[in-house]
């Protein structure tokens, strides 16, 4: 597997055991030509990630919502679903409520939660526009960082338009992701169609 974004100092890179390489993707977007780096062993293959999803049952959740510092994971399958953007936002909002991000006690916490919801919307919308829709949304929380992972079948490379020009079409969603997130990248599994676009946002102090 590989990620098309090199790790910055302190970046954790692709989430071990996270949603990666599941069929589905952001195709048709010009490649960024970024260097590649190996993903850690233990990241799921496309088949493993697909098996880990719950297409017909309730969303998967792990960790104790009331235990500070615990790693918690939720996954949502978009199979046979319509209105995937509002569905993804509602799913994410429920996760933030379960994990104590919402209702927000301060303006900073409210802004952080809104940033998470906006990034989810942009990643899922990008998959809809350029990859025939997303396959799965994964959310990982360790009380310090929220990691969002959207899998799709696309072969293209999501790329923020640089320099950013509001009047030009394309690239705006990933520009927003780049501005709001600590880091983001793309993970691919060799021999498996599609990719996982991931993004990480920090919790408010």
């Amino acid at each position: 597997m590989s990620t098309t974004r090199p790790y910055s100092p302190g970046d954790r890179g692709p989430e071990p055991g996270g949603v990666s390489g599941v069929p589905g993707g952001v195709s048709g977007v010009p490649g960024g030509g970024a260097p590649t780096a190996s993903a850690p062993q233990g990241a799921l293959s496309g088949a493993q990630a697909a098996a880990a999803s719950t297409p017909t049952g309730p969303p998967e959740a792990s960790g104790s919502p009331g235990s500070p510092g615990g790693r918690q994971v939720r996954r949502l399958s978009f199979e046979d679903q319509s209105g995937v953007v509002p569905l993804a936002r509602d799913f994410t909002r429920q996760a933030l409520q379960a994990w104590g991000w919402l209702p927000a006690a301060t303006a900073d916490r409210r802004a952080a939660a809104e940033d998470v919801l906006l990034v989810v919307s942009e990643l899922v919308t990008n998959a809809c526009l350029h990859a025939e829709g997303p396959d799965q949304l994964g959310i990982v929380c360790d009380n310090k960082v929220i990691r969002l992972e959207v899998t799709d079948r696309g072969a293209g490379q999501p790329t923020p338009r640089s320099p950013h020009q509001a009047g030009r079409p394309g690239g705006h969603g990933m520009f927003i992701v780049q501005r709001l997130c600590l880091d983001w990248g793309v993970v691919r599994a060799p021999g498996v169609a599609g990719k996982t676009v991931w993004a990480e946002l920090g919790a408010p102090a």
Side-chain angles (χ1 to χ4, degrees):
M1 300 178 62
S2 66
T3 175
T4 58
R5 184 177 178 84
Y7 306 158
S8 60
D11 177 39
R12 299 179 302 168
E15 182 70 25
V19 184
S20 59
V22 178
V26 185
S27 63
V29 183
T36 60
S38 298
Q41 292 182 353
L44 295 185
S45 66
Q48 289 171 322
S53 64
T54 53
T56 57
E60 175 186 336
S62 63
S64 302
S67 61
R71 180 178 180 274
Q72 301 167 86
V73 181
R74 294 195 176 196
R75 295 187 180 96
L76 171 67
S77 171
F78 294 108
E79 183 176 353
D80 299 325
Q81 298 285 350
S82 59
V84 294
V85 174
L87 180 65
R89 285 181 62 91
D90 289 345
F91 177 78
T92 304
R93 185 178 290 106
Q94 291 171 11
L96 294 177
Q97 290 170 345
W99 296 336
W101 286 52
L102 290 173
T106 66
D108 286 345
R109 288 186 174 274
R110 183 164 52 253
E114 288 299 324
D115 286 349
V116 171
L117 294 172
L118 178 55
V119 170
V120 164
S121 298
E122 294 299 339
L123 293 180
V124 174
T125 297
N126 204 39
C128 292
L129 292 175
H130 304 293
E132 301 180 4
D135 279 358
Q136 190 177 94
L137 167 65
I139 312 175
V140 182
C141 178
D142 65 5
N143 288 336
K144 293 183 179 179
V145 172
I146 288 274
R147 181 185 178 91
L148 308 170
E149 300 178 336
V150 175
T151 63
D152 60 54
R153 293 188 180 88
Q157 175 66 28
T159 305
R161 184 177 294 283
S162 181
H164 180 67
Q165 295 182 7
R168 298 180 62 186
H172 304 301
M174 296 312 298
F175 176 80
I176 292 171
V177 170
Q178 180 175 266
R179 289 292 299 270
L180 293 179
C181 295
L182 299 172
D183 201 4
W184 70 277
V186 181
V187 178
R188 302 180 188 274
V192 178
K195 62 186 174 297
T196 296
V197 181
W198 60 269
E200 293 183 339
L201 299 93

